[in-house]
Amino acid sequence: MKKFINDPNLVVDEMVEGYVDAHKDKVRALSEARVVVRKDAPVNGKVGIVTGGGSGHKPAFIGYVGKGMVDAVAAGEIFTSPPAIAFYHSFKAADGGKGVACLYGNYAGDVMNVDMAVEMAEDDGITVKQVIANDDVPSAPKGDEDKRRGVAGEILMWKIGSAMAEKGGSLDEVIGAAQRAIDNTRSMGVGLSPCIIPAVGKPNFTLGENEMEVGIGHHGEPGIKKMEIKTADEVAGMMLDIILPDLPFEKGNDVCLLMSGLGSTPLLELYIVYRKVSMLLAEKGINVYRAYVDNYFTSLEMAGVTLTLMRLDEQLKQLLDVPADAVHFKQF
Amino acid sequence: MKKFINDPNLVVDEMVEGYVDAHKDKVRALSEARVVVRKDAPVNGKVGIVTGGGSGHKPAFIGYVGKGMVDAVAAGEIFTSPPAIAFYHSFKAADGGKGVACLYGNYAGDVMNVDMAVEMAEDDGITVKQVIANDDVPSAPKGDEDKRRGVAGEILMWKIGSAMAEKGGSLDEVIGAAQRAIDNTRSMGVGLSPCIIPAVGKPNFTLGENEMEVGIGHHGEPGIKKMEIKTADEVAGMMLDIILPDLPFEKGNDVCLLMSGLGSTPLLELYIVYRKVSMLLAEKGINVYRAYVDNYFTSLEMAGVTLTLMRLDEQLKQLLDVPADAVHFKQF
């Protein structure tokens, strides 16, 4: 295991410490729990936006704290849910008097801990409502959408919900927009290599020398199938074949496209895959209204790519266009 | 070699095609040569900023095209200088009537091709002046600074020169600011793994299982020494021990700090290294005025970290603070 770390058991604490130090003009850490918040949180009169989850997905989750994005993030150990108390303190820190929207991914630990934290917050008189992202198509069949995991589509859910909050929306309006965002979002990933959790010290799964994992999860969860590695163009086609029919996305749709590397895949490769995805969408009469291509939601140093599409209506477009100024998500 | 590519010899062409397609609201490609420019280039009455170099360093170089940053980029093959004709067309595309500043790194091929392109442009009546970045301390000893390579410090040179152009500076003022930026900038890198150039198909160098390369170049050039991998804190100290005495950076200095991954090193690890760098600087009475931590200048999927410090005066601070809106470099 070759990594720039000190104690494998302290990687998250030291990462958060470094992050808050580097960006102290924008964020601060709470003393009560491992939570990163906007420096000016809570923003009075604005619905607070909270998320959280296991670490190792940088820039998710703490990179998305900032104006026009998330107010507070509960940061768990690597690939492990934060405890309820961390979500609870996130809610308290984010509440500016209009309630809190907790927008997070569908993982059993996170759901349990958020539910507990919501009860704790209610005892304090803070209203918290939730949206649980389930955009990962390969993780459960159609009809079982509520069993699907949340992956990079969470970023678009945060973007939309946070924009509605920024524009002065009520808690119900924020929850409604975030829910509509994720309901119209589908994702999938293809993995080429595993990663090593520092405290474990060995790869989290294995793949043959020429194999790729189609439908891989953000923690190396197995997908639909292992198969021999294909060309970038074939991978692009395969991902669309899985995503498009599921919603379905159809001719005439405007979409937001988010393509993320899983960690060690160079941006060069992402843009090669993007090229073919864009061509295929154009052939189908689907219009890319806005494209994000970068490392937005990673799994330590896994190699791979994820594709996320969100079908847009006029309101989602307007909310997508609202500026954002998080450390790792800026948009004029 | 597991990569999302099609033809290994077309990776740069297909990447540029995908990039320009994804971000067509901000950039366009020239038809005459492989050059990416601001969509609205040339900006009349503004000094044009041009850079260029080998590909494989994403987001460098084309990710830095945009308002407040670079106007045009000549994109070479992987780790290979663009031809003179590409720089020439970059100059023509960037010239808004106030001349062009070509701000690039100290590599023999780039220097030769830029020199040729400058002569071609002069025949067209376009004035081009140059600044050649040489921020990589380990690449040549003190006293031989003109032999040093340009690495991630180039980004700060672009930022400063572009900001001066944005504020209406003359060509001489832009060149002066960019030169002062790089004269006050020092960098170094530590590598943990090689990368594979697609058309070559095998790693560009080798490192033992527990080895790191101290002072590695952006193309895998050997550095000062190979040694057993150290902790993040030790690596932080080692990098500062090499960078700080070289300028030197001293007590009371304000600095801009840019830390970049080389490709596959997770942001988590960068922030762990940042944490200790920041502590050590604080102990020495050196103040971090602004910190950038991300994958800013990579070498395909190499694992490693680079540290860049720029000593600031009041003018450099003001220029650093000017907003920028490139696809992969945004600052409010």
Side-chain angles (χ1 to χ4, degrees):
Chain A
M1 177 174 65
K2 277 175 132 175
K3 288 178 184 285
F4 294 116
I5 60 172
N6 298 303
D7 182 337
N9 295 305
L10 294 180
V11 293
V12 179
D13 285 328
E14 293 188 350
M15 176 269 286
V16 169
E17 213 179 302
Y19 181 80
V20 171
D21 181 19
H23 309 296
K24 53 184 171 287
D25 53 323
K26 293 193 184 297
V27 300
R28 61 185 167 86
L30 299 186
S31 55
E32 298 87 350
R34 196 162 57 204
V35 172
V36 175
V37 304
R38 272 174 66 160
K39 197 179 174 187
D40 57 351
V43 180
N44 283 328
K46 185 183 86 69
V47 171
I49 308 289
V50 169
T51 190
S55 295
H57 301 297
K58 279 298 210 81
F61 297 81
I62 61 178
Y64 294 94
V65 173
K67 186 171 159 62
M69 284 294 280
V70 171
D71 295 277
V73 167
E77 287 300 315
I78 302 286
F79 296 175
T80 304
S81 176
I85 193 78
F87 280 109
Y88 166 69
H89 285 294
S90 304
F91 299 155
K92 281 184 42 163
D95 181 40
K98 277 180 82 169
V100 173
C102 186
L103 313 177
Y104 65 106
N106 192 20
Y107 297 91
D110 292 321
V111 174
M112 182 186 75
N113 287 313
V114 168
D115 282 345
M116 286 169 60
V118 169
E119 285 185 27
M120 293 160 74
E122 273 170 4
D123 291 345
D124 289 355
I126 300 171
T127 306
V128 183
K129 296 190 177 182
Q130 312 179 25
V131 179
I132 303 177
N134 60 339
D135 52 306
D136 186 29
V137 175
S139 57
K142 200 161 171 62
D144 278 338
E145 281 87 348
D146 61 338
K147 297 200 177 107
R148 289 179 176 172
R149 299 182 289 251
V151 283
E154 292 184 43
I155 296 161
L156 301 180
M157 170 182 70
W158 303 331
K159 175 74 190 74
I160 296 297
S162 301
M164 179 59 97
E166 190 68 25
K167 291 182 71 167
S170 68
L171 180 55
D172 283 338
E173 287 171 321
V174 169
I175 290 289
Q179 186 71 58
R180 210 165 72 261
I182 205 69
D183 286 346
N184 283 283
T185 297
R186 296 293 184 275
S187 299
M188 74 158 290
V190 175
L192 295 186
S193 81
C195 61
I196 297 177
I197 299 174
V200 176
K202 58 182 173 56
N204 59 344
F205 63 93
T206 54
L207 269 178
E209 203 177 326
N210 290 309
E211 260 182 347
M212 63 183 194
E213 177 87 42
V214 179
I216 197 163
H218 268 178
H219 312 93
E221 298 95 332
I224 302 169
K225 58 185 167 188
K226 286 184 167 65
M227 62 192 298
E228 202 175 328
I229 186 169
K230 302 291 183 200
T231 66
D233 285 1
E234 288 167 327
V235 169
M238 192 181 304
M239 291 197 294
L240 286 177
D241 285 347
I242 291 170
I243 288 176
L244 293 182
D246 193 82
L247 187 58
F249 295 88
E250 292 173 315
K251 187 175 176 171
N253 285 168
D254 287 323
V255 297
C256 173
L257 188 159
L258 186 144
M259 183 171 283
S260 178
L262 281 177
S264 63
T265 290
L267 272 186
L268 175 127
E269 295 176 39
L270 298 186
Y271 280 110
I272 293 174
V273 177
Y274 177 87
R275 172 182 165 275
K276 186 67 178 184
V277 167
S278 172
M279 282 180 190
L280 293 170
L281 289 173
E283 279 172 20
K284 290 173 198 299
I286 296 171
N287 172 50
V288 179
Y289 176 78
R290 187 185 279 272
Y292 299 98
V293 184
D294 206 340
N295 289 306
Y296 284 109
F297 205 125
T298 65
S299 302
L300 294 172
E301 69 279 6
M302 270 173 57
V305 58
T306 67
L307 174 64
T308 298
L309 294 178
M310 177 167 67
R311 186 175 58 190
L312 299 172
D313 55 30
E314 286 311 309
Q315 191 196 33
L316 288 176
K317 283 183 204 172
Q318 281 170 24
L319 293 170
L320 201 58
D321 291 345
V322 171
D325 188 19
V327 171
H328 290 285
F329 190 92
K330 292 188 201 306
Q331 180 176 308
F332 277 81
Chain B
M1 177 174 66
K2 279 175 131 175
K3 288 177 183 285
F4 295 115
I5 61 172
N6 298 302
D7 182 336
N9 295 304
L10 294 180
V11 293
V12 179
D13 285 328
E14 292 188 349
M15 176 270 284
V16 168
E17 213 178 304
Y19 181 80
V20 171
D21 181 19
H23 308 297
K24 52 184 172 285
D25 54 322
K26 292 193 185 298
V27 300
R28 60 186 168 84
L30 299 187
S31 55
E32 298 88 349
R34 197 161 57 204
V35 173
V36 175
V37 305
R38 271 174 67 161
K39 197 179 175 187
D40 58 351
V43 180
N44 284 327
K46 186 183 85 69
V47 171
I49 307 288
V50 169
T51 190
S55 294
H57 300 297
K58 278 298 210 79
F61 298 78
I62 63 178
Y64 294 95
V65 172
K67 188 172 159 61
M69 284 295 277
V70 171
D71 294 277
V73 166
E77 287 300 316
I78 302 286
F79 296 174
T80 304
S81 176
I85 193 78
F87 280 109
Y88 166 67
H89 284 293
S90 304
F91 298 156
K92 281 183 44 164
D95 181 39
K98 278 181 81 172
V100 173
C102 185
L103 313 177
Y104 65 107
N106 193 20
Y107 296 92
D110 292 321
V111 174
M112 181 186 76
N113 287 313
V114 168
D115 282 344
M116 287 169 58
V118 169
E119 285 185 28
M120 294 160 73
E122 274 170 3
D123 290 345
D124 289 356
I126 300 171
T127 306
V128 183
K129 296 190 177 181
Q130 312 179 25
V131 180
I132 303 177
N134 61 338
D135 52 306
D136 186 28
V137 175
S139 56
K142 201 161 171 60
D144 277 338
E145 281 88 348
D146 59 340
K147 297 198 178 112
R148 288 179 176 171
R149 299 182 289 251
V151 286
E154 293 184 40
I155 296 160
L156 301 179
M157 170 181 70
W158 302 330
K159 175 73 188 76
I160 295 297
S162 302
M164 178 60 96
E166 190 68 26
K167 291 183 71 168
S170 67
L171 180 55
D172 283 338
E173 286 171 323
V174 169
I175 290 289
Q179 186 70 58
R180 210 166 70 261
I182 206 70
D183 286 347
N184 283 283
T185 297
R186 296 293 184 276
S187 299
M188 74 158 290
V190 176
L192 295 185
S193 81
C195 62
I196 297 177
I197 298 174
V200 176
K202 58 183 173 53
N204 58 344
F205 63 92
T206 54
L207 269 178
E209 204 177 324
N210 289 310
E211 262 181 346
M212 64 183 193
E213 176 88 42
V214 180
I216 198 164
H218 267 178
H219 312 92
E221 297 95 332
I224 301 169
K225 58 185 167 188
K226 287 184 166 67
M227 61 191 299
E228 202 175 327
I229 186 168
K230 302 290 183 200
T231 67
D233 286 0
E234 287 167 327
V235 169
M238 192 180 306
M239 291 197 294
L240 286 177
D241 285 346
I242 291 171
I243 289 177
L244 294 182
D246 194 82
L247 186 59
F249 295 88
E250 292 173 314
K251 186 173 176 173
N253 285 168
D254 287 325
V255 298
C256 173
L257 187 160
L258 185 144
M259 183 171 282
S260 178
L262 281 178
S264 63
T265 290
L267 273 185
L268 174 127
E269 295 177 38
L270 298 187
Y271 280 110
I272 292 173
V273 177
Y274 177 87
R275 171 183 168 276
K276 186 67 178 183
V277 168
S278 173
M279 282 180 188
L280 292 171
L281 289 174
E283 281 172 19
K284 291 174 198 297
I286 296 171
N287 172 49
V288 178
Y289 176 78
R290 187 185 279 273
Y292 300 98
V293 184
D294 206 340
N295 289 306
Y296 284 109
F297 205 126
T298 65
S299 302
L300 295 172
E301 69 279 6
M302 270 172 59
V305 59
T306 67
L307 173 64
T308 298
L309 293 179
M310 176 167 67
R311 185 175 59 190
L312 300 172
D313 55 31
E314 285 312 309
Q315 190 196 32
L316 289 174
K317 282 184 204 171
Q318 281 170 24
L319 293 170
L320 200 58
D321 291 345
V322 172
D325 187 19
V327 171
H328 290 286
F329 190 91
K330 293 189 201 304
Q331 180 176 307
F332 277 82

